[in-house]
């Protein structure tokens, strides 16, 4: 009898192991399918390269490509300098010193992230224009206004820098606040001054965090289309648009997209190399925060002025200019059509956020339920879309969807059905593009929240014979709902701000606030662009303030 019972237990154990292995393989296959689905735009761009370039490719290589490369390199270099200057100095000063309004400036320094760079560009173009705000101000003060031409590469670099420096500020500030205080104390005991301590000790230690923020800035710089187009600066992104729409050569646009992808991934590899190179510098033995230093009142006000300058340039002045324009143009812009466009924008952003978060949850938990370790690494390939410019993703989606639509039209025509475009130029393609582009934005907060859940909780449920899906809905989802909610908000805002991808893929009968603002500015109606721009800004301020709550505080 004991032998029979033992055989039953052995059989039951083997059966359970087979079932677990079968389930693990199933989750692994599902993960691979999702990753492949999200990577299709880049795959199609790679495949399309074998078709050869368009007829104007040689002309572009000889006459336009050097300009694209030079302008992009110019923006990368100058934006790097300005962003590091604004971001690192502000992060160190608010972390190390006490001065008036420090707590307020800590979160105000993040607010420029709420303003898309193309909107900042519109505001500054209006301020420096003849008859603009600065001209009127100086005339009222009886001063001669020396007009500065900002509509050039230098002006574009300035606009992008004051819009994007918070990426570096956030990462550097988080590092400085968590850096071991005993390092500063040791430096002080050795008689090393504050300036030398910063440049010789803290700055090298913070290099991985600073580089991580800087790489995000440079990816956004290379992705920018709205500001570059408005300022008349030819970059890779404007070249992609010109090749696709003006020259009607998707093959040429694909080649330019491939070059831009290579540049982007070179930046990513550079960041990984930097982190690996200085990995040994991370201190794990002391979690004491940096103690803020008291200084003279006069020095405190100097520090305040230095920290307030990027807030003034990146948020106060642009928003003030837009509010001024909004009062002038409210009666002509704010109408029923504008309300409908706003509702369309909110609806598209909400649906896109929910779809993107859904894909993020699938990737995270399908790879988690798989017993194969390499599946978890493969799952992260799906989040690389955030590193790819929106225009490139749009091109990678339009190529296969146009081919698929042609095939579907031919098939349906055999049954006497005149279908027209089914996927391309519809919300289906747009939602898919947003999911590819912003999956990382949803993936990271959910994954970080899921890692805090003790594995023993879902494991206990599985021991009791409850399946993975039921365990997730009954136990795990309630524990990670904060991360899911955060992901929905963050993706919602990114979709609201996205311009190049939306311009290419949106249906003809649908507009968004970002597209409407761009159309106004392109038609030399920059004042009318203020109201849709302000709607985007004040909507985006909610998660930006929420982002500040996530930072470590002292």
């Amino acid at each position: 009898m004991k032998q029979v019972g033992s055989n039953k237990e052995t059989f039951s154990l083997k059966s359970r192991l087979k079932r677990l292995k079968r389930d693990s393989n199933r989750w692994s296959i599902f993960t691979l399918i999702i990753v492949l689905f999200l990577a299709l735009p880049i795959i199609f761009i790679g495949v399309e390269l074998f078709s050869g370039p368009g007829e104007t490719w040689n002309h572009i290589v000889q006459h336009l490509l050097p300009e694209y490369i030079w302008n992009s390199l110019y923006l990368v270099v100058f934006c790097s300098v300005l962003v590091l200057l604004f971001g690192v100095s502000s992060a160190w000063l608010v972390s190390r010193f006490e001065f008036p309004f420090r707590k307020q400036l800590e979160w105000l320094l993040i607010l420029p992230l709420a303003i898309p760079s193309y909107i900042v560009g519109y505001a500054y173009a209006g301020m420096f224009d003849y008859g603009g705000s600065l001209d009127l101000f100086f005339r009222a003060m009886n001063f001669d206004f020396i007009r500065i031409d900002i509509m050039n590469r230098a002006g574009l670099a300035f606009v992008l820098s004051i819009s994007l420096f918070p990426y570096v500020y956030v990462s550097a500030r988080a590092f400085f606040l968590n850096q071991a205080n005993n390092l500063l104390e040791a430096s002080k005991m050795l008689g090393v001054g504050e300036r030398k301590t910063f440049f010789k000790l803290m700055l090298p230690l913070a290099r991985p965090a600073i580089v991580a923020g800087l790489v995000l800035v440079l990816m956004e710089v290379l992705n920018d289309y709205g500001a570059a187009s408005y300022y008349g600066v030819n970059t890779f992104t404007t070249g992609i648009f010109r090749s696709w729409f003006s020259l009607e050569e998707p093959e040429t646009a694909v080649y330019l997209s491939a070059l831009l992808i290579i540049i982007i991934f070179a930046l990513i590899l550079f960041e990984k190399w930097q982190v690996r190179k200085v990995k040994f510098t991370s201190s794990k033995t002391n979690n004491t925060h940096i103690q803020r230093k008291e200084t003279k009142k006069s020095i405190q006000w100097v520090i305040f002025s230095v920290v307030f300058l990027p807030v003034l340039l990146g948020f106060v002045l642009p928003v003030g200019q837009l509010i001024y324009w909004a009062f002038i143009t409210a009666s002509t812009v704010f109408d029923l059509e504008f309300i409908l466009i706003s509702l369309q924008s909110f609806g598209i952003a909400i649906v896109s956020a929910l779809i993107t978060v859904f894909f993020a949850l699938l990737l995270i938990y399908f790879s988690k339920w798989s017993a194969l370790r390499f599946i978890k690494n493969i799952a992260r390939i799906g989040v690389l879309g955030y590193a790819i410019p929106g225009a490139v993703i749009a091109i990678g989606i339009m190529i296969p969807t146009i081919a698929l639509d042609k095939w579907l039209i031919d098939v349906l025509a055999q049954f006497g059905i005149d279908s027209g475009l089914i996927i391309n130029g519809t919300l289906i393609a747009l939602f898919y593009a947003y999911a590819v582009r912003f999956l990382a934005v949803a993936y990271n907060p959910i994954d970080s929240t899921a890692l805090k859940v003790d594995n023993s909780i879902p494991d206990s449920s599985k021991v009791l014979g409850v399946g993975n899906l039921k365990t997730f809905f009954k136990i795990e989802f309630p524990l990670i709902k904060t991360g899911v909610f955060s992901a929905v908000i963050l993706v919602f805002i990114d979709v609201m701000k996205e311009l190049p991808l939306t311009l290419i893929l949106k249906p003809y009968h649908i507009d968004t606030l970002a597209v409407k603002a761009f159309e106004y500015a392109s038609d030399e109606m920059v004042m009318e662009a203020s109201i849709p721009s302000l709607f985007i800004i004040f909507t985006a301020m909610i998660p930006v303030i929420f982002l500040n709550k996530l930072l470590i505080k002292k």
Side-chain angles (χ1 to χ4, degrees), residues 15 21 67 88 199 354 429 443 466 475:
S15 177
K21 184 177 181 181
E67 185 181 7
V88 177
F199 285 104
L354 293 176
Y443 187 99
V466 181
I475 297 177

Side-chain angles (χ1 to χ4, degrees), residues 1-122:
M1 293 293 293
K2 290 183 179 180
Q3 183 67 31
V4 173
S6 177
N7 289 338
K8 287 183 177 180
E9 291 177 0
T10 303
F11 177 78
S12 176
L13 180 60
K14 288 182 178 179
S15 177
R16 177 172 292 185
L17 289 174
K18 286 183 179 179
R19 190 177 75 250
L20 290 174
K21 184 177 181 181
R22 185 173 63 251
D23 289 345
S24 173
N25 292 336
R26 182 177 61 185
W27 301 126
S28 300
I29 293 172
F30 286 161
T31 303
L32 292 174
I33 291 173
I34 295 171
V35 170
L36 179 63
F37 178 68
L38 295 171
L40 279 178
I42 308 305
I43 293 173
F44 275 105
I45 286 179
V47 172
E48 195 69 19
L49 290 174
F50 293 99
S51 301
E55 296 179 359
T56 61
W57 175 248
N58 291 331
H59 171 77
I60 288 175
V61 170
Q62 294 177 9
H63 301 285
L64 295 177
L65 187 59
E67 185 181 7
Y68 296 160
I69 295 174
W70 171 244
N71 286 340
S72 298
L73 181 63
Y74 180 96
L75 293 174
V76 163
V77 172
F78 276 81
C79 286
S80 296
V81 173
L82 292 176
V83 161
L84 291 175
L85 181 63
F86 287 139
V88 177
S89 61
S90 300
W92 175 248
L93 292 174
V94 299
S95 303
R96 178 60 174 149
F97 297 97
E98 287 288 356
F99 56 90
F101 306 105
R102 177 188 59 79
K103 291 184 179 180
Q104 290 76 16
L105 286 173
E106 277 184 333
W107 65 269
L108 284 172
L109 281 162
I110 309 176
L111 287 186
L113 282 180
I115 314 180
S117 55
Y118 54 88
I119 292 176
V120 177
Y122 303 158

